[in-house]
Amino acid sequence: MNHRASRPHSRDDRVFGNLGTEPHCESKHGSRRASGSVVEKHARCRYQGAHVKQMICSECGNRVFFENLRCEVCSSFLGYAPDAQRMLAFEISDEDSWHRLGSEGPAYRPCANRKANGCNWMALSLSDHGLCLSCRTTQTIPALTKSENHGYWAALEQAKRRLFYTLIELGLPTPNKHEDPVNGLSFEFLEQMHPQQQVLTGHDEGVITLNIAEADDACREHIRLSMHEPSRTLLGHFRHEIGHYYWDRLVRDTPWATEYRSLFGDERADYDSALNTHYVWPALDWPQNFISAYASSHPWEDWAETWAHYLHLVDGLETAASWGTHLELPSPSGPALKVRPLDLNAESIRELIVLQWLPVSQFINAMDRSLGAHDSYPFIIVPPVIEKLDFIHRVVRAGSAGRVPTNFLPPD
């Protein structure tokens, strides 16, 4: 990983409009997407996003959580094995050797960043990697000579691990640029050192850049209020930017493009012009067709906003289902509802959105208000958005089934 301060660049700094997006800065996709030089001006909501199915300590069976480093009951060291998609318990010998506890299986070693930033992911002992699957994608971190940057880096990596958890669950390819320079992913966490050198959050040909100021809760809240965003989280930033990456990999120049344009619009429309128009004359009727106002600015942003929303829906339903959520009154006169996770093999999710997600999100918002908090889900899903979410589901389903277009395959 490189350690360097921020540098001027022209990636998109989008603001997750609906689903936990971030300050606005649109990514340029090669010659297709013009460089995004727009200053953060539009609001995108971000979610703190607690997804993840319930996890247990493999030694004592106690409930543990995605970020835990140790089990509070048996004191075992914990590590998440992304290949097995489960939390495992370990004991450490005097030689700092990690011995797996509980069920038998392959041997693991901790990510080299465990002590540096609290990463609790593991790597297979037989692999050549010192870093876990998620940390291997980080190319640039902020200078650690500043004490506060340690915390910012840790927060960014934690949000990124949650993103990767979902991508793994969905079965989507997650190559890194070290192993696949053409199609791989790379993350740069940059610090703005001078007012003239603006760090914009965005995506550019697989490189996702985030301003580390977003990891400062007070700073992020200030931006949220100034941009009139209902919500803003680090995870929302990651979800939105990764949406641009998967558009390049799964939709661009593929048979999906025709249907994409019928639902989202023609992405060949001039990007800078569309953004400038949006900031001067935002569409007043956006709620009739889009998940957020920002989604109405350009078809690329509509895709990324809706993609982020899809990941939010996937994770929210998985969490609710894994906790056995049962709503006796999902609607005043409707039948009881036992929440189910999204079925990746389902041909359509239209019914699931209406019958499962909407009641769950209403319940979440009701709890938020009871606790004096803002709504966690300040969105309205209209029929055109349901169609877009269903399209994204079908694209993900095809990608996870191995029906990956040629532009995601490694070069000859």
Side-chain angles (χ1 to χ4, degrees):
M1 278 179 287
N2 299 326
H3 301 250
R4 69 170 185 245
S6 68
R7 51 177 172 71
H9 63 312
S10 59
R11 299 195 184 109
D12 67 352
D13 176 62
R14 302 156 262 230
V15 184
F16 281 117
N18 238 341
L19 236 211
T21 8
E22 60 179 291
H24 176 258
C25 148
E26 176 40 32
S27 63
K28 70 185 179 82
H29 287 200
S31 60
R32 301 170 187 74
R33 183 171 301 185
S35 61
S37 57
V38 181
V39 179
E40 277 192 318
K41 185 179 177 184
H42 185 93
R44 241 182 244 160
C45 5
R46 305 191 169 64
Y47 282 89
Q48 216 48 42
H51 65 269
V52 188
K53 57 193 165 211
Q54 283 203 58
M55 297 183 178
I56 61 171
C57 171
S58 62
E59 173 65 6
C60 69
N62 178 53
R63 175 185 293 158
V64 296
F65 295 91
F66 189 67
E67 297 82 8
N68 286 165
L69 294 168
R70 297 196 72 166
C71 175
E72 296 298 325
V73 173
C74 68
S75 297
S76 298
F77 291 88
L78 297 174
Y80 182 75
D83 59 306
Q85 295 174 280
R86 59 178 300 202
M87 191 73 77
L88 299 175
F90 298 87
E91 66 176 3
I92 306 176
S93 68
D94 294 337
E95 296 78 26
D96 201 28
S97 175
W98 287 59
H99 174 66
R100 178 173 175 168
L101 300 175
S103 60
E104 296 183 357
Y108 293 90
R109 61 168 175 266
C111 174
N113 281 336
R114 188 177 179 101
K115 293 181 180 179
N117 66 23
C119 178
N120 68 345
W121 279 30
M122 309 296 287
L124 287 166
S125 295
L126 295 178
S127 72
D128 298 327
H129 302 295
L131 296 172
C132 71
L133 176 71
S134 175
C135 287
R136 288 202 295 275
T137 61
T138 301
Q139 178 63 28
T140 303
I141 67 173
L144 299 181
T145 51
K146 292 184 178 181
S147 58
E148 62 269 27
N149 285 357
H150 288 263
Y152 298 157
W153 179 35
L156 287 161
E157 293 289 359
Q158 179 173 301
K160 180 154 68 74
R161 287 192 294 275
R162 282 188 171 271
L163 171 71
F164 270 74
Y165 169 91
T166 310
L167 300 178
I168 294 169
E169 288 280 301
L170 292 176
L172 290 172
T174 56
N176 62 72
K177 280 200 172 292
H178 294 292
E179 298 167 355
D180 186 350
V182 176
N183 299 312
L185 272 167
S186 177
F187 292 82
E188 296 190 350
F189 302 143
L190 305 180
E191 178 182 8
Q192 184 165 314
M193 305 298 292
H194 307 286
Q196 297 79 12
Q197 295 181 334
Q198 191 172 41
V199 174
L200 302 179
T201 294
H203 167 266
D204 184 3
E205 298 294 343
V207 178
I208 292 176
T209 303
L210 276 87
N211 187 330
I212 66 168
E214 291 289 343
D216 183 320
D217 292 341
C219 178
R220 190 175 63 253
E221 178 65 7
H222 174 75
I223 297 173
R224 186 190 71 81
L225 292 173
S226 67
M227 299 178 71
H228 307 290
E229 297 178 345
S231 179
R232 186 184 185 93
T233 69
L234 284 179
L235 182 54
H237 283 296
F238 282 108
R239 285 173 171 167
H240 180 102
E241 301 308 334
I242 205 72
H244 287 290
Y245 169 76
Y246 281 109
W247 186 89
D248 277 351
R249 303 279 81 86
L250 299 175
V251 177
R252 184 184 71 185
D253 300 331
T254 74
W256 290 112
T258 300
E259 186 176 358
Y260 163 79
R261 288 170 184 156
S262 71
L263 292 170
F264 296 85
D266 193 335
E267 80 286 354
R268 293 167 294 188
D270 184 82
Y271 179 77
D272 280 348
S273 176
L275 263 290
N276 290 334
T277 300
H278 169 74
Y279 289 134
V280 175
W281 298 107
L284 298 180
D285 62 347
W286 67 263
Q288 299 177 24
N289 294 287
F290 300 94
I291 194 66
S292 70
Y294 185 61
S296 68
S297 64
H298 189 275
W300 273 323
E301 295 309 325
D302 192 10
W303 164 273
E305 289 285 87
T306 311
W307 173 279
H309 197 85
Y310 177 77
L311 296 191
H312 188 60
L313 180 154
V314 168
D315 292 343
L317 286 178
E318 182 186 61
T319 297
S322 70
W323 281 77
T325 302
H326 183 91
L327 300 178
E328 285 293 332
L329 297 171
S331 64
S333 58
L337 170 68
K338 182 177 182 180
V339 181
R340 307 191 314 269
L342 180 141
D343 178 6
L344 186 60
N345 294 318
E347 293 186 3
S348 172
I349 60 169
R350 295 183 185 91
E351 184 177 88
L352 177 142
I353 294 171
V354 175
L355 300 181
Q356 292 274 324
W357 178 239
L358 294 185
V360 169
S361 64
Q362 291 169 358
F363 170 71
I364 292 170
N365 286 344
M367 286 296 296
D368 288 332
R369 297 177 188 185
S370 296
L371 298 173
H374 296 293
D375 287 358
S376 295
Y377 193 77
F379 309 107
I380 297 176
I381 303 179
V382 294
V385 173
I386 291 178
E387 293 303 314
K388 294 171 187 177
L389 287 166
D390 194 66
F391 173 76
I392 288 176
H393 170 73
R394 287 184 283 119
V395 171
V396 169
R397 181 171 176 249
S400 65
R403 299 192 297 275
V404 180
T406 56
N407 58 335
F408 214 149
L409 298 176
D412 293 335

